[in-house]
Amino acid sequence: MNCIELDGHEGTLRCVLQPNKTNWRVECAPVSMERMAEWSGDLVLKGLLMALRGIPNILVPQRPPKADAEYYLARLPAGVGAWFGANELNDLQSLEAHGGMTVMELWNSAADLCQTLARLYSLGIWGYAGRDRVLLRKGREEGTPEKERADYCLTDITDCQIYQYPQAFSVPPHPETGEDPVTLAMRLLIGGVALCADGGQLLGGQETTLELQLGVRCAGRLSGLFRTPSSLPPQGFLACAQDGLRRAAKAIQRGKPQKLRLYLVLLGPDCRRAAVPALSCVARSFYHCAWDLTAGKGVQADITCVYPWDRVQVCQFKKNCVYGLSALKQELSGKRPVPLGGLLDCLNRELERELPRGTAPLVCYITLTNPGDIHAPAQTCMDYVLVEELARKRELGIFDAFLCDADLRQQVDSPYERLVGKDGYTSLEGLDDLMYRTLAGLLEKRRYFRSAVSPVA
C-alpha cells in the first residue's frame, strides 16, 4: 500500500510512501503544521525531536517543518509490508482481510505499542490519540515465518501534550472516577486497538464484534482492563496492559474445530403436549453426517437438547444415542409454561461456554406451535432482544442454525425466523443434505479457543 488515508482531524491526513522507499511523506492539517513550526524556536523541543527518532515505529519529522509547509518527511518504519489503519479493524473478517493477521499478532502489536507510549511519556509527551493514529502491518514476505509478529506505527504526535520538563506533570484527576487523564488516554488508545473498539464503545461498556466472535472467556480480562477506570498511574497502567496483552496472546489458539456440537432447541411453552419426530430425525442425521465428515480426524461430535418441561431443561445425549421425547427427564410437578426468553437465554449461555473450547456449534430450532395455537408463547420485549442477539451471533459466524417443525413435514409459520435468517425451515427430504453442507462449512472454518496449557489472560 503506497498511500494510507487517515480520519483524524487536526492531525495526520495522509501518509505516502516515497518512490525510493527511504521515507514517508506525511501530509498534515494546517493546525498541526503550525504547531510543529513553533518547535524550531524551542531548543528543548528540537532536542526532543532527536530523542524521539530513537524510538522505533513512530513517524517523527526529520526536522521541524516551516509554518507554510504542506507536509513533512519521516523515516520509513523498519521492514516492509502493507500498512493499514487500526480503525479499519472491526472483526475477525477484517483481520483476515489484512494479510491474514491473527488476534495473537494484533494483541502482541498492542503490547509493543504500550512500550512506545511509556517511552513517550517518560520524555514528557502524551495525548488523546485515536485508533486512526495507529498503523498496523502484517509482514508476509516470501520465506517469512508464519508466526512472525505483526508490526505497528504511531503516525503522529502533533495532537499530544508536550512538556519541556517531563517531571512537571500537573494534571488533575477525574472528579468522579479519580482516574489520571493520561491513564484514560492510554486506556482508550490501547484498548481501542486490542478490542477493535472506538472510545465510545469502551466508555459505554459495549461489547465489540471481535469480542462476540472470540467469546467472553477468550477475550479474558482485557475487556475489564480497558473498560474500567484505573487507579494506576500512566506508567503502571501501561505495564499492566502490556502484561495482560502478552498473556492473552499466549493463551489463545487458532485452529480447526476440536468438537462438533448440535443443540436441539424445542421452542414452545411445554413439549409434553405434542409428538416431536424431528428430535430423533435431526439427531440421527447429525451423527450420520458427522461420522462421514470427521472419520479419522479426532473430532468429537455431541448433542445437547434444550427443552421446556416446567422449566428449562438441558440434556446431554450419550455418544451416538438418539433419544425420543419420552426418554427425556420428567418433572413430577404440574405444567408451568416456560417463557421463550428462558430457553433462548439458556442457549446463549451454552454457546458462550463452548466457544473458547474450539467447538463448532450448530443449532436446530424445533418449533412446537402451530399457526393460531392459543398456547403459543407471547413474545415479550426481552424475548425480542434475545432473538436479535442470537441472530447477530449467527450472522457473525459464531454458530450456524436452521429451523424445522416438530414433524419435519409442514412449513413453519412462526415468529422465530429471525433466529435463522433467510434459510427458513427444513423438511425431511432436505435434512441430510442441509446437515452435511452445514457441518462441512463449520469444520472448514478456523476458530479461536483458549489453550489448555498456556497462561490465562
Side-chain angles (χ1 to χ4, degrees):
M1 183 181 294
N2 293 325
C3 179
I4 299 101
E5 299 282 350
L6 299 173
D7 298 330
H9 67 283
E10 297 187 0
T12 300
L13 296 178
R14 207 155 64 119
C15 301
V16 183
L17 183 63
Q18 297 293 91
N20 58 12
K21 297 186 179 182
T22 59
N23 53 54
W24 274 1
R25 170 176 163 152
V26 184
E27 300 176 4
C28 285
V31 173
S32 296
M33 300 302 291
E34 290 173 6
R35 286 192 60 198
M36 284 189 287
E38 296 173 358
W39 298 352
S40 300
D42 191 318
L43 294 178
V44 175
L45 290 180
K46 287 180 71 173
L48 188 60
L49 281 178
M50 296 181 65
L52 289 177
R53 284 196 284 270
I55 300 177
N57 289 336
I58 177 170
L59 289 184
V60 183
Q62 293 180 359
R63 61 186 60 85
K66 296 180 181 179
D68 58 351
E70 296 180 353
Y71 65 90
Y72 68 81
L73 296 180
R75 289 183 181 177
L76 176 70
V80 296
W83 294 84
F84 51 91
N87 57 335
E88 296 178 30
L89 304 180
N90 301 300
D91 51 26
L92 294 177
Q93 284 74 24
S94 61
L95 279 172
E96 288 286 341
H98 290 291
M101 178 180 276
T102 65
V103 177
M104 298 85 85
E105 291 167 326
L106 177 68
W107 285 350
N108 275 316
S109 291
D112 289 340
L113 185 58
C114 288
Q115 290 181 317
T116 293
L117 292 175
R119 294 179 69 180
L120 289 174
Y121 183 75
S122 68
L123 291 175
I125 298 177
W126 70 275
Y128 290 88
R131 293 175 66 212
D132 56 296
R133 301 303 177 85
V134 181
L135 294 180
L136 297 168
R137 174 194 62 173
K138 169 63 187 289
R140 188 60 75 80
E141 285 186 288
E142 189 174 345
T144 300
E146 179 71 23
K147 295 183 179 179
E148 180 177 311
R149 186 175 301 168
D151 215 339
Y152 76 93
C153 175
L154 195 65
T155 63
D156 197 10
I157 60 168
T158 54
D159 277 358
C160 297
Q161 305 292 328
I162 299 177
Y163 290 80
Q164 292 188 355
Y165 304 100
Q167 70 275 16
F169 285 95
S170 57
V171 185
H174 191 281
E176 294 181 5
T177 64
E179 185 173 27
D180 188 318
V182 185
T183 300
L184 172 62
M186 307 300 187
R187 177 164 66 87
L188 294 181
L189 178 59
I190 300 297
V193 173
L195 300 178
C196 295
D198 56 35
Q201 285 177 303
L202 292 178
L203 292 174
Q206 297 174 325
E207 195 171 31
T208 66
T209 299
L210 177 71
E211 289 173 283
L212 279 172
Q213 289 178 312
L214 291 178
V216 176
R217 289 177 61 190
C218 278
R221 65 188 185 98
L222 295 182
S223 297
L225 177 66
F226 295 123
R227 285 193 172 88
T228 306
S230 175
S231 60
L232 294 172
Q235 294 279 27
F237 175 80
L238 288 172
C240 181
Q242 180 179 312
D243 179 66
L245 287 162
R246 296 268 192 247
R247 284 173 171 267
K250 289 180 180 178
I252 194 172
Q253 289 189 3
R254 179 174 177 266
K256 291 191 175 182
Q258 310 296 298
K259 297 180 182 179
L260 279 172
R261 183 172 291 279
L262 172 68
Y263 289 93
L264 296 170
V265 183
L266 278 63
L267 300 173
D270 193 324
C271 62
R272 289 175 292 194
R273 293 187 302 101
V276 189
L279 193 68
S280 55
C281 288
V282 174
R284 287 192 184 96
S285 179
F286 172 76
Y287 282 132
H288 171 71
C289 295
W291 172 260
D292 284 350
L293 287 165
T294 64
K297 296 181 180 179
V299 178
Q300 185 177 340
D302 297 310
I303 297 180
T304 296
C305 187
V306 182
Y307 61 99
W309 202 302
D310 292 321
R311 59 187 176 87
V312 180
Q313 305 276 357
V314 178
C315 171
Q316 307 290 338
F317 280 24
K318 293 181 180 178
K319 187 173 180 62
N320 291 329
C321 178
V322 178
Y323 285 10
L325 189 63
S326 60
L328 298 176
K329 181 181 178 182
Q330 300 188 35
E331 295 290 334
L332 298 176
S333 57
K335 294 181 181 179
R336 291 177 297 174
V338 177
L340 174 64
L343 279 165
L344 301 182
D345 184 53
C346 180
L347 171 63
N348 199 42
R349 284 185 280 111
E350 288 285 328
L351 291 171
E352 287 286 355
R353 186 168 64 248
E354 287 297 327
L355 276 175
R357 299 176 181 174
T359 301
L362 171 63
V363 176
C364 173
Y365 298 104
I366 303 175
T367 178
L368 303 176
T369 57
N370 294 319
D373 192 336
I374 61 173
H375 298 290
Q379 286 186 269
T380 65
C381 178
M382 183 55 67
D383 296 339
Y384 280 108
V385 169
L386 290 165
V387 166
E388 295 299 336
E389 182 179 345
L390 285 166
R392 183 185 176 204
K393 281 184 172 164
R394 191 204 176 202
E395 290 169 0
L396 294 174
I398 294 172
F399 70 98
D400 210 336
F402 61 88
L403 179 71
C404 66
D405 189 73
D407 61 7
L408 277 173
R409 285 197 298 267
Q410 55 187 321
Q411 180 171 342
V412 176
D413 182 14
S414 74
Y416 307 129
E417 61 269 9
R418 283 172 299 169
L419 290 166
V420 293
K422 61 184 178 181
D423 295 339
Y425 71 101
T426 189
S427 63
L428 184 58
E429 292 76 15
L431 179 60
D432 271 1
D433 182 58
L434 174 63
M435 183 71 71
Y436 194 91
R437 286 186 288 108
T438 305
L439 292 183
L442 288 171
L443 284 169
E444 283 303 313
K445 181 176 180 181
R446 287 188 171 272
R447 296 177 178 273
Y448 283 89
F449 55 96
R450 274 206 349 218
S451 167
V453 296
S454 297
V456 177

